């Protein structure tokens, strides 16, 4: 048992600022401890106080190990502990798993045949080495689409961190490369051999090799146990299988290990994080003491009530119930906008309203599942002059493939836009910088359309010939933007697949977003004005200067750990959130639920949940959107519904037979309506006293107007 040594530098007054659960976590010193730290529950303060408490009790700082996901956060926690004690705590070892393994392998790597001077490869080095070996094996000569060096590096790292076979990984994430399975396997074998022969390690080797030493040498485990008698791990829900195993072996001799995390915020499965680590911790370390931090210091109770009911439906979880002393507040708002356009207008209106009331834009965030979900909102904010920054993914016009498409549209409207001509010429086969320069020279000298016919005989590129024919066919001032975009896409898609083959499935979602955006415009000129002429490019995240701190747009993954006064969560419909990809995989669907929970718990005072009734689907046009299951399963008493047309009023367009006898004039074909049991639908037909409605939940349904209750929502 530990005995406190005399310490005249400080007292334990810092413990008095903790709540009961936090203090229990700090004072639980020996044996395995699992701290389930709910969102906004003060876990960092708890970790800092525990570091200070251990040193106060007389534990030599060099016997304490703190593992976090950034070296900066570990350094800050150790400095804060020193401030509490008024004593230097720098001899505490703190850092990431990779930095710890690097330190250990410099000392013990000889057991695996490595000298203490082995070279550590960064990501660029790994890519270059894989490319070198690919060339030496003759795979670069393959006329087909063998993976590029960046993709090969990603495949290798994911295979290691997820501990799955190459074949399974390719099947799940890179099916286009399955035909190259034997070649990629051989390449990776050569890669591993080359590293060992030349005293090289990559970042993944740090974990693999340190774990190998721990497994193979019991005496090393004992030695490490003596060196680090107390181990603490932050964000344990985000550790991968290798990291979980490392902790198991390093704490084997003393079992004095505390891990802190929130199973409900495990959202990095795509990076290799293993959700089971935190769930199975008590199995790996029997007699684990489980402490739950449930008091939330961030959000109102109304927001937490919705978060609690959401996560209560998770299949695998530690039961917890977040509570707050902030009892007063508004219930979260649900907004069923007609479409993305109306949703964007609502958000812009509400943001301006909040700013007029004195709230800084930087205290407002719009969160989304995928980066392309915010494209329409970005255009609306730019038109309104509302400054914003975007985290996670690229802004609309920053994506190369979107720039390509926009360049095609620009030359249609303005054939003298030579910058756009240069971009699209360089996309085409058999056209390099010199040929592009020659073509542009002809375009400048000869009036259109004569120069186009002349160019047909001067440029040896079938793609260019096809584009010239298309150029002469399209009527940019007469056709609808969506129709023009469709024709351009039909031409561009083979180029798109050739150039962006590695990430085709990811990037095509951006194209769909652009199509949806084009649907609301009548002229190509207006569409490009909003896209191009408005200064979207001025809103650069890193270097921009604003008259005021900007509004935050962010993917939810990039928002983890942050908080705002007011949060909008958008695109809450099936196929977007949860994502379409997750609908067939139970584990991925559960991670989507946790992602929604993270989004909800970013809000301190106000939460707006936004779901469009209609969406544009390329090839199908406007279609009904099914509201996200995460919203559908929440009882209505946990939120209040607002009209997207008037931001401060609930829906008031309810029509009932008792009030109006619901004459045929009350509804018309194409109206969107809501039924108390069947939900939202579109009026298909009115037949005498009956009405046929196509409900999202059950399809076409015939109702009697005299006995039904319908709410007009558009």
């Amino acid at each position: 048992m530990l005995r406190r040594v005399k310490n005249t530098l400080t007292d334990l007054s810092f413990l008095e600022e903790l709540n009961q659960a936090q203090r229990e976590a700090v004072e639980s010193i020996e044996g395995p401890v699992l701290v389930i730290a709910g969102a906004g529950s003060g876990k960092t303060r708890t970790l800092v106080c525990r570091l200070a408490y251990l040193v106060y009790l007389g534990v030599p700082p060099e016997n304490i190990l703190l593992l976090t996901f950034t070296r900066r956060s570990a350094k800050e926690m150790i400095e804060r502990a020193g401030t509490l004690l008024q004593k230097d705590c720098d001899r505490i070892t703190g850092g990431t798993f990779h930095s710890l393994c690097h330190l250990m392998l410099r000392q013990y790597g000889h057991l695996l045949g490595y000298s203490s001077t082995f070279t550590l490869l960064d990501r660029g080095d790994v890519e270059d080495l894989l490319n070198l070996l690919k060339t030496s094996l003759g795979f670069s000569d393959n006329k087909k689409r063998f993976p590029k060096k960046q993709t090969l590096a990603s495949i290798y790292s994911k295979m290691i961190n997820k501990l799955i076979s190459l074949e399974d990984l390719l099947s799940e994430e890179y099916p286009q490369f399955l035909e190259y399975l034997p070649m990629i396997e051989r390449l990776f074998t050569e890669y591993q051999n080359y590293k060992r022969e030349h005293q090289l390690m990559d970042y993944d080797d740090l974990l693999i090799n340190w774990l190998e030493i721990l497994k193979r040498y019991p005496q090393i485990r004992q030695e490490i146990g003596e060196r680090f008698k107390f181990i603490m791990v932050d964000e344990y829900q985000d550790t991968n299988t290798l990291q979980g195993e490392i902790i198991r072996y390093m704490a084997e001799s003393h079992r004095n290990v505390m891990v802190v995390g929130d199973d409900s915020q495990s959202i990095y499965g795509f990076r290799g994080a293993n959700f089971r680590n935190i769930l199975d911790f008590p199995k790996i370390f029997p007699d684990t003491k489980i402490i739950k931090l449930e008091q939330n210091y961030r959000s109102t109770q109304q927001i937490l009530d919705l978060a609690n009911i959401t996560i209560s439906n998770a299949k695998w979880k530690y039961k917890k119930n977040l509570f707050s002393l902030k009892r007063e507040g508004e219930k979260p708002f649900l907004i069923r906008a007609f479409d993305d356009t109306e949703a964007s207008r609502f958000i812009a209106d509400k943001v301006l309203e909040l700013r007029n009331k004195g709230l800084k834009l930087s205290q407002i965030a719009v969160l989304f599942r995928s980066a392309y979900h915010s494209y329409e909102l970005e255009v609306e904010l730019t038109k309104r002059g509302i400054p914003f920054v975007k985290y996670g993914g690229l802004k609309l016009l920053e994506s190369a493939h979107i720039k390509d498409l926009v360049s095609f549209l620009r030359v249609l409207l303005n054939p003298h836009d030579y910058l756009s001509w240069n971009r699209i010429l360089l996309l085409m086969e058999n056209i390099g910088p010199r040929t592009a320069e020659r073509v542009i020279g002809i375009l400048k000298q000869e009036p259109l359309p004569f120069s186009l016919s002349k160019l047909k005989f001067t440029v040896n590129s079938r793609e260019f010939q096809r584009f010239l024919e298309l150029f002469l066919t399209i009527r940019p001032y007469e056709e609808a933007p969506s129709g023009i975009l469709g024709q351009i896409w039909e031409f561009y898609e083979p180029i798109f697949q050739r150039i962006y083959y590695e990430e085709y499935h990811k990037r095509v979602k951006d194209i769909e977003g652009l199509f949806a955006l084009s649907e609301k415009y009548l002229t190509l000129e207006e569409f490009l004005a909003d896209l191009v002429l408005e200064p979207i490019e001025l809103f650069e995240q890193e270097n921009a200067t604003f008259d005021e701190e900007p509004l935050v747009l962010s993917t939810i993954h990039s928002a983890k750990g942050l908080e705002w006064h007011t949060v909008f969560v958008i695109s809450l419909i099936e196929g977007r959130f949860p994502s379409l990809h997750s609908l067939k995989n139970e584990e991925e669907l559960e991670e989507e639920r946790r992602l929604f929970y993270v989004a909800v718990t970013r809000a301190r005072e106000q939460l707006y949940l936004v779901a469009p009734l209609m969406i544009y689907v390329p090839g199908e046009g406007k279609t009904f959107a099914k509201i996200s299951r995460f919203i559908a399963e929440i009882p209505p008493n946990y939120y209040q519904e607002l009209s997207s047309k008037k931001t401060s009023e609930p829906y008031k367009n309810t029509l009932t037979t008792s009030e109006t006898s619901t004459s045929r004039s009350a509804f018309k074909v194409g109206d969107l309506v809501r039924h108390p049991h069947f939900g939202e639908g579109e009026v298909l037909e009115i037949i005498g006293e009956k009405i046929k409605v196509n409900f999202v939940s059950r399809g076409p349904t015939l109702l009697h107007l005299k006995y039904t209750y319908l709410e007009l929502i558009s």
Side-chain angles (χ1 to χ4, degrees), residues 442-461:
I442 295 174
L443 287 171
K444 288 180 177 179
Q445 294 172 9
E446 307 256 358
L448 294 168
F450 171 75
S451 57
L452 297 181
S453 58
K454 181 177 180 180
L455 284 169
K456 286 184 180 182
F457 304 102
T458 58
V459 179
N460 182 26
S461 170

Side-chain angles (χ1 to χ4, degrees), residues 564-579:
W564 294 270
H565 176 281
T566 298
V567 168
F568 298 84
V569 186
I570 65 173
S571 286
L572 284 164
I573 57 176
E574 293 287 289
R576 289 190 187 174
F577 199 176
S579 68

Side-chain angles (χ1 to χ4, degrees), residues 136-161:
S136 68
L137 290 169
F139 298 160
S140 293
D141 298 331
N142 196 301
K143 293 182 180 179
K144 294 186 179 180
R145 293 166 173 156
F146 194 78
K148 296 177 182 177
K149 62 180 184 179
Q150 297 89 345
T151 306
L152 287 167
S154 294
I155 291 172
Y156 182 81
S157 184
K158 286 183 178 181
M159 182 180 71
I160 297 300
N161 284 287

Side-chain angles (χ1 to χ4, degrees), residues 479-534:
E479 300 178 45
S482 59
I484 295 172
L485 187 59
Q487 295 176 73
I488 293 294
W489 172 242
E490 187 176 350
F491 165 77
Y492 173 68
E493 187 175 16
I495 300 174
F496 174 74
Q497 289 185 345
R498 184 182 75 240
I499 297 175
Y500 306 111
Y501 181 71
E502 309 276 322
E503 297 179 312
Y504 174 83
H505 297 291
K506 295 179 182 177
R507 290 176 180 257
V508 77
K509 287 292 183 183
D510 296 342
I511 306 295
E512 292 176 5
L514 191 66
F515 264 101
L517 197 58
S518 71
E519 276 290 302
K520 70 172 185 173
Y521 292 91
L522 296 176
T523 68
L524 183 61
E525 189 174 17
E526 183 187 8
F527 181 45
L528 285 179
D530 278 1
L531 273 184
V532 183
L533 301 181
E534 295 287 349

Side-chain angles (χ1 to χ4, degrees), residues 419-434:
L419 188 63
S420 293
W421 271 111
N422 187 66
R423 183 179 186 91
I424 63 179
L425 284 167
L426 293 176
L427 293 173
M428 300 180 192
E429 289 182 319
N430 300 326
I431 296 183
R434 288 184 180 178

Side-chain angles (χ1 to χ4, degrees), residues 381-479:
L381 293 173
T382 302
K383 288 170 66 176
R384 303 284 194 99
I386 301 173
F388 67 91
V389 289
K390 184 176 179 180
Y391 300 103
L394 295 172
K395 292 181 184 176
L396 179 58
L397 290 185
E398 290 176 347
S399 305
H401 47 293
I402 297 296
K403 287 181 179 179
D404 293 347
L405 276 172
V406 170
S407 293
F408 282 112
L409 298 176
R410 289 173 71 171
V411 298
L412 287 171
L413 206 59
N414 176 16
H416 299 288
D417 184 345
Y418 302 118
L419 188 63
S420 293
W421 271 111
N422 187 66
R423 183 179 186 91
I424 63 179
L425 284 167
L426 293 176
L427 293 173
M428 300 180 192
E429 289 182 319
N430 300 326
I431 296 183
R434 288 184 180 178
T435 304
E437 187 177 356
R438 181 158 52 90
V439 169
I440 291 172
I442 295 174
L443 287 171
K444 288 180 177 179
Q445 294 172 9
E446 307 256 358
L448 294 168
F450 171 75
S451 57
L452 297 181
S453 58
K454 181 177 180 180
L455 284 169
K456 286 184 180 182
F457 304 102
T458 58
V459 179
N460 182 26
S461 170
R462 289 185 179 180
E463 287 180 342
F464 184 58
Q465 306 299 330
R466 286 178 50 228
F467 177 65
L468 290 181
E469 293 171 4
L470 181 63
F471 184 94
L472 293 171
T473 301
I474 294 176
R475 298 288 180 263
Y477 292 97
E478 299 172 16
E479 300 178 45

